Amino acid sequence: MRIVEARVIVTSPGRNFVTLKIVTDEGVTGVGDATLNGRELAVEAYLREHVVPLLIGRDPARIEDTWQYLYQGAYWRRGPVTMSAIAAVDTALWDIKGKVAGLPVYQLLGGRSREGVTVYGHANGETVTEVLAEVARYLDLGYRAVRVQCGVPGLANTYGVSADKMFYEPADSALPTEATWSTERYLAHIPSVFARVRDEFGPDLRLLHDAHHRLTPIEAARLGSSLEPYALTWLEDPVRAELQEGFRLIRRHTTTPIATGEVFNSVWDASQLISEQLIDYIRMTVVRAGGISHLRRVFDFAALHHVRSGSHGATDLSPVCMAAALHLDISIPNFGLQEYMRHTPETDAVFPHGYHYDGGYLHPGEAPGLGVDIDEEAAARYPYSPAYLPVNRLEDGSIHPW
Ligand code: GCO
Ligand code: MG
């Protein structure tokens, strides 16, 4: 079998997605997600100009060899653009291998390690009262784990809080909007939010919170220790992820479990965090981390060091990425949690998929391959439109991580 064509499809059913579809001479096709929120066309061009020509004529069965060819062969390694492009190829080749074998991809990864993939949803609100109502809504939907984000008094808007609660989309403008941030106001408010949520919903519900890289290590240590009475499952991205030493300081001060990794691209971004057990959950996902092959390697390395998975599953990762993540989640021994922000009905229609939600769990389905596709006719109805993530400033105007 040979690869005869690879199409890069950009579609925007409410938000932008980049998808690679690989076609073989025997008519078997595979899909991979290559979406990089706010920088989509960089990956589209990388794939179209520098990857697709190298794929034509290759044997689609040689997944590892193709991965090494694209990774080592570029010489310029890693980075979100390169690794998202490689991820799309790798994911599509696993899809093809599954279809050829007549097996869902998770069977090729060693089979089921659990019955379903536990997911968490995003409860958010401007006020604590709104947050409580949102948590209750997720409980009604059967969720067993909920991420809680709340508006901060004195700030006009806060990361993770949106008007359309189920379908939060921060890349909301053709040029970046600007938000204002105050760490002091945030740290003074958040513990009281979790006190109310725990008080209302009791000890069983798993609670999470995302600090979105905004704190210094000592600020994060203070937040972690002030949240200890509310027993969070994890505090996510407490500090900028570039400096791995920062996590060591947090660890010295708090037992609140730490999760990070959504901006990482390779095992090298997380090797110190994992081998020194400075984190509890590694939150990399398929599209940002070089595909199923490389992420499997990261998760295996993490398993050796008591670190569990917690894959990123925001809506800027397409249903193709979600499907691929679920095959990994169901098969690895050290699965932790899977983020599940629901896609809109428009997105679901462009990406027909067999995975489904039931009572707090996602299931990858039993279709051969990944069990997801792109409806190219539907996709063509939604042309690309530029959309950027916001930029963040402190109250004095200084740029601060968003
Ligand atoms: C999460 C993430 C997202 C990111 C988004 C950026 O935990 O889901 O932090 O909400 O902000 O993926 O594009
Ligand atoms: Mg996050």
Side-chain angles (χ1 to χ4, degrees):
M1 195 183 274
R2 296 283 148 194
I3 296 171
V4 289
E5 194 191 349
R7 295 194 284 276
V8 190
I9 303 149
V10 181
T11 182
S12 189
R15 68 156 346 283
N16 292 314
F17 294 107
V18 180
T19 309
L20 179 72
K21 186 157 197 169
I22 295 182
V23 184
T24 65
D25 54 356
E26 294 183 22
V28 184
T29 62
V31 284
D33 184 19
T35 309
L36 182 60
N37 202 5
R39 298 293 185 272
E40 296 89 355
L41 297 188
V43 190
E44 189 258 346
Y46 189 100
L47 278 168
R48 182 170 32 80
E49 300 294 331
H50 302 297
V51 174
V52 169
L54 313 187
L55 295 178
I56 306 305
R58 289 184 73 84
D59 177 357
R62 295 181 63 164
I63 300 179
E64 183 63 29
D65 183 63
T66 302
W67 197 97
Q68 299 297 341
Y69 182 86
L70 294 174
Y71 181 80
Q72 299 196 47
Y75 185 67
W76 310 110
R77 292 174 194 166
R78 301 160 57 185
V81 174
T82 301
M83 295 305 276
S84 300
I86 295 177
V89 175
D90 183 84
T91 307
L93 295 184
W94 278 102
D95 192 20
I96 290 171
K97 196 177 276 298
K99 287 178 182 170
V100 170
L103 291 170
V105 166
Y106 79 82
Q107 292 289 10
L108 306 179
L109 298 172
R112 218 172 250 283
S113 284
R114 56 196 50 78
E115 302 313 317
V117 172
T118 309
V119 298
Y120 70 91
H122 288 195
N124 67 84
E126 280 302 336
T127 63
V128 183
T129 311
E130 264 180 60
V131 167
L132 296 177
E134 283 300 302
V135 175
R137 188 147 76 112
Y138 278 97
L139 287 177
D140 285 347
L141 289 168
Y143 281 73
R144 290 141 205 274
V146 179
R147 182 184 101 159
V148 170
Q149 306 293 135
C150 187
V152 173
L155 295 182
N157 46 53
T158 314
Y159 163 78
V161 179
S162 68
D164 188 348
K165 304 211 173 313
M166 271 291 172
F167 303 112
Y168 176 50
E169 180 44 72
D172 56 358
S173 177
L175 286 173
T177 53
E178 297 207 354
T180 305
W181 176 249
S182 159
T183 300
E184 294 76 14
R185 294 179 197 273
Y186 166 79
L187 289 178
H189 185 58
I190 290 301
S192 68
V193 175
F194 279 90
R196 290 277 304 279
V197 174
R198 256 306 165 230
D199 191 44
E200 181 89 10
F201 297 100
D204 293 343
L205 179 62
R206 299 171 77 177
L207 294 174
L208 303 85
H209 179 68
D210 189 349
H212 223 242
H213 311 280
R214 291 177 176 204
L215 306 175
T216 65
I218 202 69
E219 290 164 351
R222 172 180 151 198
L223 178 62
S225 91
S226 65
L227 292 175
E228 277 170 27
Y230 317 115
L232 267 60
T233 295
W234 78 47
L235 171 62
E236 177 175 332
D237 291 337
V239 292
R240 298 175 203 201
E242 291 94 323
L243 186 64
Q244 301 194 9
E245 281 77 15
F247 289 81
R248 200 178 290 133
L249 190 143
I250 301 172
R251 262 306 197 231
R252 281 208 286 269
H253 292 280
T254 180
T255 57
T256 293
I258 303 296
T260 198
E262 67 184 40
V263 302
F264 292 169
N265 310 126
S266 83
V267 71
W268 307 111
D269 296 325
S271 56
Q272 184 184 351
L273 294 179
I274 291 171
S275 62
E276 294 186 28
Q277 303 182 36
L278 300 177
I279 56 172
D280 301 278
Y281 296 88
I282 179 73
R283 291 194 67 262
M284 290 161 70
T285 194
V286 174
V287 63
R288 208 63 70 239
I292 291 174
S293 301
H294 190 72
L295 190 58
R296 173 65 194 249
R297 207 153 268 163
V298 173
F299 287 161
D300 282 347
F301 180 54
L304 301 179
H305 298 279
H306 306 293
V307 174
R308 285 180 279 181
S309 73
S311 290
H312 186 201
T315 41
D316 48 291
L317 311 165
S318 88
V320 175
C321 177
M322 177 57 83
L326 293 175
H327 287 276
L328 272 168
D329 292 339
I330 202 98
S331 63
I332 58 172
N334 54 327
F335 169 74
L337 274 179
Q338 170 67 54
E339 180 178 27
Y340 178 42
M341 282 172 79
R342 287 158 187 259
H343 289 110
T344 60
E346 291 77 16
T347 297
D348 282 340
V350 170
F351 296 97
H353 52 78
Y355 66 77
H356 66 279
Y357 173 83
D358 184 24
Y361 298 102
L362 274 171
H363 300 274
E366 296 301 322
L370 295 172
V372 64
D373 207 346
I374 181 165
D375 176 339
E376 292 182 63
E377 256 179 56
R381 290 201 285 274
Y382 301 103
Y384 168 78
S385 77
Y388 282 85
L389 290 169
V391 168
N392 211 17
R393 291 186 190 275
L394 299 178
E395 288 170 310
D396 72 356
S398 316
I399 293 276
H400 192 75
W402 173 70

